[in-house]
Amino acid sequence: MVFQDLQTKISEGVYATNELLPSEQRLQRLYGASRDTIRKALERLREQGYIQSQKGKGSTVINRQQYVFPVSGVVSYKELATRANLQTKTTLVSSRTTTLPLSDFAAVDPNAKPMTVTQLVRLRELNQEPLIIDIDYIDQDVVPKISKAVAEDSIYQYFEQTLHLRIAYAKKEITVEPATEQDQALLELPADGMVVVVKSVTSLEDTTAFQYTESRHRPDRFRFQDFARRI
């Protein structure tokens, strides 16, 4: 709880970049928590790149660029847009029942098994400009159906808050590929255009891989940044 509250306050600018967090003693009083709990929360913030601690000085908020597309995280498009105060629109292009195209995800999940899935094709727009095509394949044994309203809002909110699924982790791969006819039409790309493709496999806490996603990004609007700490 302490970690999540501090994380939210940093993301929302309550604690700004280069600002010191309250001291451990002050945080203990604010949250009514033990010294050990506060230290564990601060350690998680350090590990995830929110703060840098210096002995005798305290914990300083560092610039983590939360608005940049978080390829290395497990975060929904709506969560990212809300966090960065972006004006976005999601349009459901198509929805159908099909089988998982195993060959398309062989590199990111060589152990994928045949399954019946709901395929969602959604167009993401920012400031009325098309930026991303998301193609999701969702295991129907885990999620039997997805309405148009949910698809155009937040499927992660539906997964977690309505179906109470516990999403744990994702494996991802980034490549650059020639634009397909669909890419050219929906993303307004030339015939010889390229797209950045992010393929991911998302799993539940019990290790069930239930969502396979292919996100196709306009290269002139794609930027990836990550945070790495030397161990």
Side-chain angles (χ1 to χ4, degrees):
M1 182 194 72
V2 174
F3 163 76
Q4 291 178 343
D5 188 64
L6 289 172
Q7 179 191 50
T8 298
K9 287 178 178 176
I10 291 171
S11 299
E12 294 178 350
V14 176
Y15 296 122
T17 299
N18 298 323
E19 181 181 343
L20 280 170
L21 290 183
S23 67
E24 289 185 10
Q25 292 79 9
R26 175 63 177 157
L27 290 173
Q28 282 181 250
R29 292 194 295 271
L30 285 173
Y31 292 103
S34 68
R35 184 180 184 186
D36 184 57
T37 296
I38 295 300
R39 288 189 169 181
K40 287 180 180 178
L42 294 175
E43 180 60 28
R44 284 190 64 188
L45 290 171
R46 279 192 293 273
E47 290 174 352
Q48 297 192 24
Y50 289 94
I51 62 173
Q52 177 66 41
S53 297
Q54 290 181 275
K55 192 172 183 179
K57 184 179 179 182
S59 299
T60 304
V61 177
I62 58 180
N63 186 355
R64 197 171 181 270
Q65 297 282 339
Q66 286 291 324
Y67 59 89
V68 177
F69 187 74
V71 173
S72 60
V74 183
V75 61
S76 73
Y77 184 82
K78 183 177 180 180
E79 289 169 339
L80 174 63
T82 301
R83 183 182 300 166
N85 295 314
L86 302 175
Q87 297 300 312
T88 64
K89 178 183 178 182
T90 296
T91 301
L92 180 63
V93 177
S94 65
S95 175
R96 68 187 181 109
T97 295
T98 184
T99 56
L100 178 67
L102 297 177
S103 60
D104 289 355
F105 294 92
V108 69
D109 185 7
N111 299 315
K113 296 177 174 57
M115 64 178 69
T116 301
V117 296
T118 299
Q119 183 202 56
L120 302 177
V121 179
R122 296 178 294 165
L123 178 64
R124 313 289 202 172
E125 296 178 68
L126 174 62
N127 296 329
Q128 299 183 326
E129 181 180 37
L131 296 185
I132 306 168
I133 300 171
D134 274 341
I135 306 173
D136 291 288
Y137 300 91
I138 302 163
D139 187 352
Q140 289 191 351
D141 286 341
V142 178
V143 182
K145 61 181 180 179
I146 300 174
S147 68
K148 182 175 185 290
V150 166
E152 294 187 336
D153 184 29
S154 172
I155 60 174
Y156 266 43
Q157 182 175 309
Y158 177 63
F159 292 161
E160 295 178 320
Q161 297 184 18
T162 302
L163 301 183
H164 306 293
L165 299 178
R166 299 182 67 86
I167 299 170
Y169 58 90
K171 182 180 179 182
K172 303 190 180 187
E173 172 192 66
I174 308 173
T175 58
V176 178
E177 303 176 6
T180 64
E181 290 185 1
Q182 183 181 60
D183 296 333
Q184 295 166 26
L186 295 180
L187 299 180
E188 301 175 358
L189 296 173
D192 59 351
M194 305 292 287
V195 290
V196 177
V197 180
V198 181
K199 291 184 179 180
S200 65
V201 180
T202 303
S203 299
L204 303 174
E205 282 189 344
D206 65 1
T207 74
T208 299
F210 81 105
Q211 179 188 17
Y212 292 74
T213 302
E214 180 178 327
S215 293
R216 306 180 69 83
H217 300 248
R218 275 181 48 172
D220 59 331
R221 294 291 185 270
F222 179 86
R223 183 171 57 154
F224 165 56
Q225 292 183 3
D226 199 2
F227 180 89
R229 184 182 294 281
R230 181 174 173 80
I231 299 174

